[in-house]
């Protein structure tokens, strides 16, 4: 009891002086309800079960730690892709750097504008999916984002959107502390691709809530990095309807601390939900945490979790993944794999895979492994004239291949493979 009270006292100290952004009645109510959830749960500490491997103190501190700027000499990702660019600089929308938001088949608004409207479709999603995702595992940093987010975008896809929507997050202030919240609604039989790129801020809290209608398709590709000192916590909540498809992939470079949480709720029959990620970390200051929770609450649905981490020089990787199959969710096909490639004896991979099944006609599996580069394969390549550096890099890329295969668009996957090759070449 004393420990719980200390946690709540620390939370109140963090929230002291917090003023909720203004808006329409529904927006104010959503923010107030989220802030009350934070107060009831308390901000996380390492004593919480789902934070035992990751220290959240730098994410919950009142002041954000600074992060030095990294000059990017590679050029922007997806530069050759015909896309709609939406640019944020240290968490603030930059209309001058962004493209015209008028695109066929989709409605795009700034969150700040949408939340001033008395009647808006975002009312049924903003904070709603996050609140649903608080059980059975509490996610107080997600509720804090709902309460405090001052910028972001709301998107409603009404047809097949011809161009990907690209959120570009630029980091220009060493002390920036950004809180963004994006909402996406994909109507029945509509289709959209969302790209996210860039380091965003010294400390970044970003949330994405996605609602899919029947037969909707949502493809999501995200690249996080490359600032070495940045800290980020991201949440994705999705509700997936009948015959719809949700696919999300994240590639992470560098960073002191990254925590990506994905909470998917499959509520319609014959739906598909894939979430995957790859990360490459170098140095004892690198800590990367993927935490995933997929709930099957419908018949004949498929989910996949595929996560690969390459760690060296004392880097740490974490994976916590769960598949929950509710009673009546027959014919469920759930697959989960988390693997790490440890390039030295100082790095570590901490994994907590879980299955909880209340239906009897399912095919669910999970596995987690850690290992070094295959010496036999390395010898084979070396014996054929491949240099040691190139051989190790080839085997590393081969290890990451299964995660990259989860990207629906091969052109996007190829560009990320190219960036991985460059990262490996720099760190060889």
């Amino acid at each position: 009891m004393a420990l719980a009270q200390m946690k709540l006292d620390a939370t109140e100290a963090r929230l002291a002086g917090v003023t909720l952004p203004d808006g329409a009645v529904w927006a104010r109510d959503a923010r107030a309800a989220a802030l009350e959830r934070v107060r009831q749960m308390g901000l996380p500490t390492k004593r919480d079960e789902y934070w035992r491997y990751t220290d959240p103190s730098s994410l919950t501190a009142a002041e954000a730690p600074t992060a030095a700027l990294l000059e990017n000499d590679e050029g922007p990702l997806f530069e050759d892709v015909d896309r709609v660019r939406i640019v944020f600089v240290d968490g603030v929308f930059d209309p001058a750097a962004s493209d015209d938001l008028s695109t066929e088949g989709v409605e795009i608004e700034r969150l700040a504008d949408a939340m001033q409207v008395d009647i808006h479709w975002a009312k049924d999603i903003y904070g709603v999916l996050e609140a649903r995702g608080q059980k059975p595992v509490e996610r107080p940093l997600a509720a804090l984002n709902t309460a405090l987010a001052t910028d972001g975008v709301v998107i409603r896809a009404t047809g097949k959107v011809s161009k990907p929507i690209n959120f570009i997050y630029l980091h220009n202030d060493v002390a920036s502390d950004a809180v963004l919240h994006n909402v996406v609604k994909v109507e029945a039989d509509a289709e959209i691709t969302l790209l996210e790129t860039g380091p965003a801020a010294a400390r970044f809290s970003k949330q994405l809530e996605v609602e899919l209608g029947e037969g909707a398709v949502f493809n999501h590709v995200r690249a996080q990095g490359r600032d070495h000192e940045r800290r980020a916590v991201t949440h994705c909540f999705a509700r997936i309807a009948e015959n719809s498809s949700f696919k999300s992939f994240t590639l992470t470079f560098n960073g002191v601390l990254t925590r990506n949480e994905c909470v998917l709720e499959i509520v319609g029959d014959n739906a598909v939900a894939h979430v995957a990620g790859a990360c490459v970390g170098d140095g004892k200051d690198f800590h990367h945490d993927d935490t995933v929770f997929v709930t099957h609450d419908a018949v004949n649905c498929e989910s996949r979790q595929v996560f690969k981490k390459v760690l060296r020089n004392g880097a740490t990787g974490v994976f916590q993944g769960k598949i929950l199959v509710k009673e009546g969710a027959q014919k469920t096909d759930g697959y989960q794999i988390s693997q790490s490639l440890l390039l030295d004896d100082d790095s570590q991979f901490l994994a907590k895979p879980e299955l909880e099944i209340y239906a009897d006609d399912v095919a669910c599996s999970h596995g987690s492994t850690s290992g070094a580069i295959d010496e036999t394969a390395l010898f084979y390549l070396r014996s054929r004239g491949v240099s040691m550096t190139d051989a190790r890099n080839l085997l590393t890329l081969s290890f990451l291949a299964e995660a990259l295969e989860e990207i629906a668009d091969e052109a996007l996957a190829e560009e990320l493979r190219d960036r991985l090759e460059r990262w490996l070449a720099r760190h060889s």
Side-chain angles (χ1 to χ4, degrees):
M1 179 64 70
L3 178 62
Q5 189 59 50
M6 288 175 60
K7 180 175 177 178
L8 293 178
D9 289 345
T11 299
E12 288 300 328
R14 168 67 178 86
L15 298 178
V18 165
T19 302
L20 298 182
D22 198 10
V25 173
W26 67 268
R28 295 199 303 269
D29 289 348
R31 292 187 186 281
L35 191 62
E36 182 58 27
R37 288 195 291 276
V38 177
R39 288 197 162 102
Q40 291 294 324
M41 294 182 285
L43 292 174
T45 71
K46 280 207 72 174
R47 291 179 178 269
D48 294 328
E49 176 64 23
Y50 279 88
W51 286 91
R52 60 186 299 188
Y53 301 133
T54 300
D55 184 358
S57 58
S58 64
L59 301 174
T60 60
E63 298 294 330
T66 60
L69 305 180
L70 178 70
E71 185 175 344
N72 188 347
D73 55 357
E74 291 187 308
L77 265 170
F78 310 129
E79 190 171 19
D80 296 330
V81 176
D82 185 16
R83 68 205 193 282
V84 178
R85 299 177 308 126
I86 302 176
V87 180
F88 295 88
V89 180
D90 292 312
V92 179
F93 175 64
D94 186 344
S98 302
D99 292 333
D100 182 0
L101 302 186
S102 301
T103 302
E104 185 177 356
V106 64
E107 301 168 5
I108 305 174
E109 296 176 74
R110 189 175 179 179
L111 176 69
D113 296 333
M115 298 190 84
Q116 301 298 323
V117 179
D118 289 332
I119 300 177
H120 199 285
W121 60 262
K123 171 185 176 181
D124 297 326
I125 303 176
Y126 185 88
V128 175
L129 302 191
E130 171 260 302
R132 290 174 64 92
Q134 296 292 349
K135 295 181 180 179
V137 178
E138 294 179 343
R139 306 176 195 279
L141 289 180
L144 187 65
N145 178 290
T146 299
L148 302 184
T150 56
D151 219 332
V153 172
V154 298
I155 296 175
R156 186 166 77 98
T158 57
K160 184 171 182 178
V161 184
S162 59
K163 298 179 181 180
I165 310 299
N166 186 186
F167 295 158
I168 300 172
Y169 305 121
L170 302 181
H171 175 204
N172 290 341
D173 182 352
V174 297
S176 55
D177 190 9
V179 183
L180 290 181
H181 196 116
N182 301 313
V183 176
V184 178
K185 182 175 185 178
V186 189
E187 300 283 10
D189 299 318
E191 180 176 344
I192 191 171
T193 296
L194 178 64
L195 310 176
E196 296 187 87
T197 57
R203 183 171 68 178
F204 187 37
S205 170
K206 194 271 298 181
Q207 189 157 300
L208 175 65
E209 293 182 285
V210 182
E211 175 142 53
L212 302 185
E214 292 187 11
V217 176
F218 176 78
N219 291 313
H220 178 221
V221 178
R222 174 172 57 171
Q224 298 173 308
R226 293 170 30 218
D227 288 15
H228 291 281
E229 298 178 8
R230 65 174 176 80
R231 291 168 171 81
V233 57
T234 75
H235 293 85
C236 176
F237 297 92
R239 185 160 51 191
I240 303 164
E242 184 176 356
N243 294 312
S244 61
S245 172
F246 174 100
K247 293 187 177 181
S248 177
F249 173 85
T250 300
L251 175 64
T252 304
F253 300 99
N254 304 345
V256 172
L257 172 62
T258 304
R259 164 90 165 202
N260 295 324
E261 295 197 31
C262 188
V263 182
L264 307 181
E265 185 181 13
I266 305 175
V267 296
D269 297 344
N270 306 304
V272 172
H274 291 193
V275 57
C279 89
V280 285
D282 188 354
K284 61 182 178 59
D285 292 330
F286 178 89
H287 186 104
H288 188 275
D289 180 336
D290 284 303
T291 296
V292 181
F293 199 114
V294 178
T295 299
H296 285 263
D297 196 12
V299 175
N300 196 38
C301 296
E302 171 189 302
S303 71
R304 287 175 59 86
Q305 301 174 41
V306 180
F307 288 86
K308 302 290 189 88
K309 301 181 191 291
V310 176
L311 308 168
R312 63 196 301 171
N313 295 328
T316 298
V318 176
F319 173 78
Q320 301 177 109
K322 183 165 185 175
I323 300 173
L324 169 63
V325 182
K326 290 190 172 182
E327 186 176 356
Q330 305 293 356
K331 305 295 183 181
T332 288
D333 181 359
Y335 173 78
Q336 179 194 96
I337 187 72
S338 60
Q339 296 178 317
S340 71
L341 183 63
L342 305 179
L343 300 183
D344 56 47
D345 294 333
D346 297 324
S347 300
Q348 62 175 336
F349 177 58
L350 307 168
K352 184 186 177 186
E354 297 178 87
L355 296 177
E356 187 174 346
I357 302 171
Y358 297 99
D360 54 14
D361 186 7
V362 303
C364 292
S365 65
H366 67 73
S368 182
T369 62
S370 293
I373 283 182
D374 187 329
E375 292 296 332
T376 301
L378 187 62
F379 175 79
Y380 176 86
L381 291 172
R382 295 284 288 122
S383 68
R384 276 148 182 81
V386 180
S387 70
M388 176 63 78
T389 296
D390 288 346
R392 289 171 67 88
N393 289 350
L394 283 171
L395 293 173
T396 300
L397 288 169
S398 176
F399 168 78
L400 295 169
E402 183 182 2
L404 287 162
E405 287 171 1
E406 293 296 314
I407 301 173
D409 188 318
E410 179 56 33
L412 299 178
E414 185 58 34
E415 184 159 357
L416 293 183
R417 287 191 195 98
D418 179 64
R419 290 300 172 102
L420 276 169
E421 289 183 26
R422 296 188 200 181
W423 187 94
L424 290 169
R426 286 195 304 273
H427 289 256
S428 296

